[in-house]
Amino acid sequence: MTSPTKIRKVALLTGGGDCPGLNPVIRAVTRRAILAGWQVLGIKNGWQGLIQGVVIPLDLQSVSGILPKGGTILGTSRTNPHQHSEDLQKLLANYKVLQLDALIAIGGEDTLGVAVKLIKEGLKLVGVPKTIDNDLSNTDYTFGFDTAVNIAMEAIDRLHTTAESHHRIMVIEVMGRHAGWIATCAGIAGGADVILIPEEPVDLDAVCEAIRKRHARGKDFSIVVVAEGAQFKNGTLVAKEGKKDAFGHVRLGGIGQVLGEFIEERTGFETRVTVLGHIQRGGSPTAFDRILGTRFGVKAVELVLAGQFGKMVSLQGNQVIAVTLDERAVAMKTVDPEFYLMAKLFFG
Ligand code: F6P
């Protein structure tokens, strides 16, 4: 008698900050894997779920209707299994207990950084890059970014009408921990008058000068976009005192207020500050992010089916390809200086 063929099993998890487009990936992975006859398990809350062994079966029914939804039906966390060795041991044990043939990790620099180390422990992993910040070096775009830029652009459009009516300076603080992609792209698309990013120290004199220049040519309102991770020339980063996550990142936020107060004091123009915060991460993904998430999910499963582990899916030009999931894949991608120079042409 021949033994029945074992049904193969792939698990997936979403880690780090959520973003629009995660559910399209979960749906695509599940549907593509089921088509291939595989069983699919969803690990809850990122690496934490694998440490605790909390998984749910995913089938066509459980991923039905999730394509347009923001967030992640699996939940997420900023858990770092390498912070405590007993967590790592539990994670490795659960990987075995669950009898996984493959694991797909969807995340940014931290989640995929963990994946890089786990590949070295022998786990059969494929990575899917995600972040609204778009700051991963080995993919042209991450999903979530396009949605965040559109949300920030719409906010800038809205701020324009009230800024113009009241003849005010509007400072808008957007996300972007190490890289100013959201600020630069939303700023260009929204016609901001000054854009400040982590890649270039903030020159307060130059900011005020650009605003004065605008006023001198008859424009008595201005929009200043600042990324939360921008630093002043003296190296000051505005962060929440003592708040760090499991990967050692400080919690940012507040530079907009500091900047707004300075601009008002120095220029004498009435200034208001808007912090966009997590609004940029919530809600429905754009068509671009739904399509990119779907392509990434399908490609991730196809890599699993082909036994190509230790890879990350990546958008290069218009092609979704596989790259090696190593330290280089998760290295930082900052704003191209030439691109920022182009944005600067419209300052003031
Ligand atoms: O990494 C994505 C990101 O949205 C950053 O832009 C931001 O600094 C951070 O996450 C905020 O994290 P949290 O959701 O933990 O406040």
Side-chain angles (χ1 to χ4, degrees):
M1 211 172 80
T2 54
S3 60
T5 329
K6 177 185 170 282
I7 295 181
R8 293 202 286 171
K9 224 188 275 180
V10 58
L12 71 155
L13 61 83
T14 53
D18 71 331
C19 80
L22 285 167
N23 284 327
V25 182
I26 296 168
R27 171 179 174 269
V29 166
T30 305
R31 293 196 56 160
R32 182 65 187 89
I34 287 173
L35 261 185
W38 283 50
Q39 190 185 339
V40 188
L41 291 180
I43 296 171
K44 296 287 283 183
N45 305 322
W47 296 118
Q48 188 192 91
L50 198 50
I51 294 168
Q52 298 173 343
V54 185
V55 297
I56 53 166
L58 290 177
D59 56 20
L60 295 182
Q61 188 57 31
S62 43
V63 297
S64 169
I66 69 171
L67 180 66
K69 288 191 182 154
T72 160
I73 61 161
L74 293 177
T76 186
S77 70
R78 294 197 186 274
T79 306
N80 180 1
H82 292 100
Q83 207 177 16
H84 306 290
S85 63
E86 58 275 25
D87 284 347
L88 181 62
Q89 294 321 313
K90 283 185 200 159
L91 182 152
L92 295 172
N94 280 327
Y95 180 87
K96 277 197 187 132
V97 170
L98 291 167
Q99 297 187 310
L100 300 181
D101 295 291
L103 173 60
I104 296 176
I106 312 164
E109 52 158 336
D110 297 327
T111 303
L112 295 183
V114 169
V116 168
K117 291 185 185 155
L118 293 175
I119 289 165
K120 292 175 186 156
E121 301 271 356
L123 267 59
K124 291 181 174 172
L125 256 153
V126 169
V128 176
K130 158 266 31 158
T131 163
I132 63 160
D133 292 352
N134 197 39
D135 58 0
L136 288 177
S137 68
N138 220 340
T139 182
D140 288 351
Y141 284 101
T142 47
F143 58 85
F145 172 65
D146 184 65
T147 308
V149 169
N150 276 285
I151 292 168
M153 179 194 71
E154 195 197 325
I156 295 170
D157 288 350
R158 287 174 186 276
L159 289 172
H160 256 114
T161 61
T162 170
E164 193 167 3
S165 307
H166 283 268
H167 324 294
R168 283 173 173 160
I169 313 300
M170 289 290 183
V171 174
I172 172 168
E173 180 183 310
V174 297
M175 282 187 170
R177 200 199 288 274
H178 310 289
W181 288 106
I182 296 176
T184 308
C185 291
I188 292 171
D193 306 301
V194 176
I195 302 167
L196 303 167
I197 59 174
E199 289 84 342
E200 196 166 302
V202 176
D203 181 341
L204 290 167
D205 294 329
V207 172
C208 294
E209 191 43 43
I211 292 169
R212 281 202 203 92
K213 205 172 108 194
R214 257 177 76 76
H215 279 241
R217 68 174 169 90
K219 291 299 230 182
D220 59 0
F221 69 95
S222 295
I223 304 284
V224 177
V225 179
V226 60
E228 60 179 357
Q231 295 185 22
F232 292 107
K233 259 188 160 174
N234 64 5
T236 310
L237 179 74
V238 184
K240 310 268 183 266
E241 200 77 17
K243 305 256 185 202
K244 279 193 181 175
D245 67 18
F247 292 90
H249 303 299
V250 288
R251 198 187 296 170
L252 298 172
I255 188 168
Q257 192 58 37
V258 176
L259 190 66
E261 283 167 17
F262 184 88
I263 292 173
E264 187 167 75
E265 198 186 295
R266 285 284 288 272
T267 63
F269 301 132
E270 197 180 17
T271 304
R272 294 287 188 272
V273 177
T274 300
V275 180
L276 213 46
H278 292 79
I279 287 172
Q280 292 156 98
R281 292 228 308 254
S284 224
T286 57
F288 181 89
D289 284 338
R290 294 181 199 193
I291 295 167
L292 185 58
T294 301
R295 292 178 77 193
F296 276 1
V298 167
K299 181 72 178 178
V301 174
E302 284 171 357
L303 291 174
V304 166
L305 299 179
Q308 285 196 40
F309 299 110
K311 302 282 185 195
M312 181 181 88
V313 301
S314 158
L315 182 71
Q316 310 227 336
N318 197 27
Q319 299 300 309
V320 173
I321 63 158
V323 296
T324 303
L325 179 50
D326 58 10
E327 285 79 5
R328 268 182 312 144
V330 296
M332 188 62 46
K333 179 180 69 186
T334 50
V335 173
D336 175 4
E338 267 187 43
F339 185 49
Y340 187 58
L341 264 183
M342 196 219 50
K344 274 185 161 178
L345 297 175
F346 298 87
F347 284 14

